[in-house]
């Protein structure tokens, strides 16, 4: 909202139904996104067309209707449930006399509000600049209002310059900074793998209750709000299972229908962190009538990120709010929980234990000098606890799995 205003911006939502997707569900999601961004959705206009109009997206009659609604309802913001071209934005703003933004800009604005970590802010700014660059020539009122309202907010950086060279230089700089952050995280991940640490990632549709579950299991103190994208930055906390083993639990950014490719690209490293986990908990809001679709959206995105062949446990959260359990999704291996009330935690932990990867165990080895090449394999594929050269060779303590043990068992002390 504008800094000099006390009331939220009033928004008119516009959807074009070309038969590509379920418009009703998408508009309901757009309403929630609008509220999350801090605006008030006042009314919705929907039009059926075989294809978007190149000049205004919607037909001329609908443009006139939108202009009337904007004048009568004191609308500040026109939000379209699809991506718009710069020409469409300029023409619509000229006709309706209000700021016009599209679905992608709205989501980017929410991310700009939510980013807290250095990496999160870098990723948001990169996504915003990539989206802005090809649109510089055709922007309407948006560039004149930078820093003012929804769709114009940055993640804390200076106001965006209109100079393409400046933006390209900034994009290059952001990519370099992100590479450094990713390299540091890769070191952490390698150390976890070497130490035999099992990672369990909470993935799922936004606002499914992942952060509440994270807090319930680990007392992590993660921001948990009833808003879309309450969590943007990944959080990792240790979780001790009943069997005594400690795993690393990671909370991640929520998924969304038609997640803009600019965001998928910018947040790829963060999303890949979830996809590379040993076990995935696909959390969904079981009380939602679209629970099954939400689970499928997550599964599709995980496949696109390369998370294939990993154990995925469907976690049906908010089970206490399900009015008719018979209508809720029935999935093999699903766990029913209420993260808010702490119900079903024992079953969830048991499901995690059942899906743990092959267990490692400690061994004491004495490798002859002719076999010290095995030490490099132990360092790479196992976890070396200690090593010492003695007259007979290399004495080494390590954590190994059954496969690695088969290669070194003849040297066990």
């Amino acid at each position: 909202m504008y800094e000099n205003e006390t009331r939220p911006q009033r928004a008119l939502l516009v959807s074009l139904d070309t038969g590509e997707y379920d418009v009703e569900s998408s508009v309901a999601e757009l309403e929630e996104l609008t509220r999350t961004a801090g605006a008030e959705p006042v009314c919705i206009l929907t039009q059926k067309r075989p294809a978007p109009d190149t000049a205004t997206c919607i037909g001329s009659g609908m443009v006139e209707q939108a202009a009337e609604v904007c004048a009568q309802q004191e609308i500040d913001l026109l939000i379209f449930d699809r991506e718009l071209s710069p020409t469409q934005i300029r023409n619509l703003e000229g006709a309706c006399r209000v700021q016009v933004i599209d679905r992608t800009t709205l989501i980017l604005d929410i991310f700009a509000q939510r980013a807290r970590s250095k990496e999160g802010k870098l990723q948001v700014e990169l996504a915003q600049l990539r989206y802005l660059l090809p649109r510089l020539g055709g922007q309407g009122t948006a560039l004149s209002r930078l820093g003012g309202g929804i769709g114009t907010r940055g993640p804390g950086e200076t106001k965006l310059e209109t100079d393409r060279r400046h933006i390209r230089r900034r994009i290059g700089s952001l990519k370099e900074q992100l590479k450094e952050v990713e390299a540091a995280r890769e070191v952490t991940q390698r150390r976890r793998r070497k130490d035999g640490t099992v990672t369990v990632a909470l993935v799922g549709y936004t606002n499914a209750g992942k952060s509440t579950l994270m807090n319930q299991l680990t007392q992590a103190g993660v921001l948990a709000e009833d808003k879309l994208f309450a969590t943007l930055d990944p959080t990792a906390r240790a979780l001790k299972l009943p069997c005594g083993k400690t795993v690393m639990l990671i909370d991640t950014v929520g998924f969304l229908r038609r997640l803009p490719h600019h965001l998928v690209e910018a947040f790829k490293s963060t999303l890949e962190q979830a996809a590379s986990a040993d076990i995935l908990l696909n959390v969904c809001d079981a009380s939602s009538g679209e629970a099954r679709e939400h689970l499928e959206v997550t599964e599709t995105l995980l496949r696109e990120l390369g998370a294939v062949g990993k154990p995925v446990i469907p976690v049906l959260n908010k089970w206490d709010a399900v009015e008719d359990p018979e209508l809720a999704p029935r999935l093999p291996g699903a766990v029913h929980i209420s993260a808010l009330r702490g119900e079903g935690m024992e079953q969830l932990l048991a499901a995690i234990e059942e899906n743990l990867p092959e267990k490692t165990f400690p061994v004491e080895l004495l490798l002859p000098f002719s076999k010290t090449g095995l030490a490099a394999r132990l360092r790479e594929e196992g976890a070396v606890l200690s090593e010492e050269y003695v007259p007979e060779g290399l004495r080494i303590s390590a954590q190994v799995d059954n496969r690695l043990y088969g290669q070194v068992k003849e040297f066990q002390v």
Side-chain angles (χ1 to χ4, degrees):
M1 102 186 57
Y2 295 115
E3 290 178 14
N4 61 346
E5 289 183 350
T6 54
R7 70 167 177 82
Q9 287 173 278
R10 291 166 61 81
L12 167 60
L13 311 187
V14 182
S15 175
L16 185 68
D17 184 359
T18 58
E20 297 172 69
Y21 50 84
D22 181 356
V23 168
E24 196 175 322
S25 300
S26 192
V27 169
E29 197 168 84
L30 188 70
E31 278 191 88
E32 190 62 32
L33 286 166
T34 302
R35 290 191 190 93
T36 298
E40 177 192 349
V42 177
C43 48
I44 299 164
L45 293 179
T46 305
Q47 183 180 39
K48 277 196 174 188
R49 281 177 64 94
D53 183 271
T54 52
T56 53
C57 185
I58 50 178
S60 56
M62 181 64 81
V63 173
E64 289 176 15
Q65 188 181 344
E68 284 177 26
V69 173
C70 287
Q72 291 168 3
Q73 300 286 339
E74 297 183 354
I75 298 296
D76 307 299
L77 194 60
L78 207 57
I79 305 178
F80 273 68
D81 195 24
R82 59 173 51 236
E83 281 196 8
L84 297 174
S85 70
T87 302
Q88 288 170 336
I89 291 173
R90 186 175 63 245
N91 291 339
L92 287 163
E93 287 184 337
C96 299
R97 303 294 176 191
V98 296
Q99 185 190 355
V100 177
I101 65 171
D102 59 16
R103 181 187 176 91
T104 299
T105 304
L106 180 65
I107 294 172
L108 285 169
D109 184 89
I110 294 168
F111 272 53
Q113 294 181 51
R114 298 285 176 174
R116 294 288 178 270
S117 69
K118 177 187 176 184
E119 182 179 20
K121 290 177 180 178
L122 290 173
Q123 288 170 321
V124 170
E125 190 183 355
L126 179 60
Q128 286 180 318
L129 291 177
R130 277 176 166 163
Y131 189 61
L132 177 67
L133 187 59
R135 295 159 183 271
L136 285 179
Q139 291 279 15
T141 61
L143 283 181
S144 66
R145 296 190 187 186
L146 280 170
I150 291 172
T152 65
R153 197 159 8 217
E157 295 292 329
T158 54
K159 292 180 182 180
L160 297 176
E161 305 282 343
T162 57
D163 176 28
R164 283 186 174 86
R165 279 181 309 226
H166 168 81
I167 290 181
R168 286 196 184 102
R169 280 199 302 270
R170 181 65 185 154
I171 286 174
S173 168
L174 290 169
K175 285 181 177 176
E176 288 303 313
Q177 292 179 64
L178 276 170
K179 276 182 188 173
E180 292 174 15
V181 176
E182 287 164 20
R185 188 172 55 233
E186 180 57 33
V187 169
T188 304
Q189 288 178 326
R190 276 204 305 270
R191 189 183 304 124
R192 285 177 187 165
R193 285 196 295 269
K194 188 175 176 182
D195 293 344
T197 304
V198 174
T199 51
V200 179
L202 293 166
V203 297
Y205 214 74
T206 182
N207 206 28
K210 296 186 298 297
S211 297
T212 305
L213 179 56
M214 179 86 165
N215 291 337
Q216 182 66 243
L217 291 172
T218 67
Q219 289 76 51
V222 179
L223 174 69
E225 289 185 76
D226 186 20
K227 285 186 177 179
L228 303 186
F229 300 116
T231 302
L232 192 57
D233 302 310
T235 307
R237 292 289 184 274
L239 169 64
K240 190 162 186 178
L241 299 173
C243 66
K245 186 174 181 66
T246 298
V247 298
M248 191 63 64
L249 190 65
I250 301 170
D251 188 15
T252 62
V253 61
F255 295 144
L256 193 70
R257 262 190 209 85
R258 294 158 53 221
L259 195 61
H261 71 272
H262 308 275
L263 278 180
V264 174
E265 188 60 35
F267 280 80
K268 200 162 188 183
S269 60
T270 306
L271 295 169
E272 282 173 347
Q273 185 181 4
S276 65
D278 298 294
I279 300 170
L280 298 164
L281 303 183
N282 187 354
V283 185
C284 83
D285 176 357
S287 66
S288 166
E290 298 184 303
R292 189 177 293 278
E293 288 80 3
H294 291 178
L295 287 165
E296 287 170 1
V297 166
T298 303
E299 287 171 6
T300 301
L301 277 165
L302 288 171
R303 276 196 300 273
E304 288 173 7
L305 291 164
V308 181
K310 304 279 181 73
V312 179
I313 303 170
V315 180
L316 304 183
N317 189 25
K318 308 184 187 180
W319 192 252
D320 55 313
V322 173
E323 292 179 2
D324 187 352
E326 292 304 314
L327 297 177
R330 293 289 170 184
L331 302 166
V335 182
H336 305 110
I337 68 162
S338 168
L340 192 62
R341 296 187 178 187
E343 295 169 2
M345 296 301 111
E346 298 84 357
Q347 292 89 331
L348 178 58
L349 294 174
I352 294 172
E353 285 186 359
E354 286 171 19
N355 286 278
L356 286 173
E358 191 175 22
K359 294 180 173 63
T360 62
F361 49 90
V363 291
E364 287 283 333
L365 305 168
L366 180 58
L367 299 177
F369 288 113
S370 61
K371 297 289 184 179
T372 49
L374 285 172
R377 186 168 295 172
L378 287 165
R379 295 185 196 105
E380 183 68 28
E381 300 175 24
V384 173
L385 307 175
S386 68
E387 51 185 295
E388 178 190 5
Y389 282 99
V390 295
E392 298 81 14
L394 178 61
R395 192 179 184 95
I396 194 163
S397 298
Q399 285 280 137
V400 298
D401 57 23
N402 283 326
R403 182 185 52 79
L404 198 52
Y405 179 66
Q407 299 173 35
V408 298
K409 63 181 179 182
E410 61 181 292
F411 306 110
Q412 190 168 359
V413 177

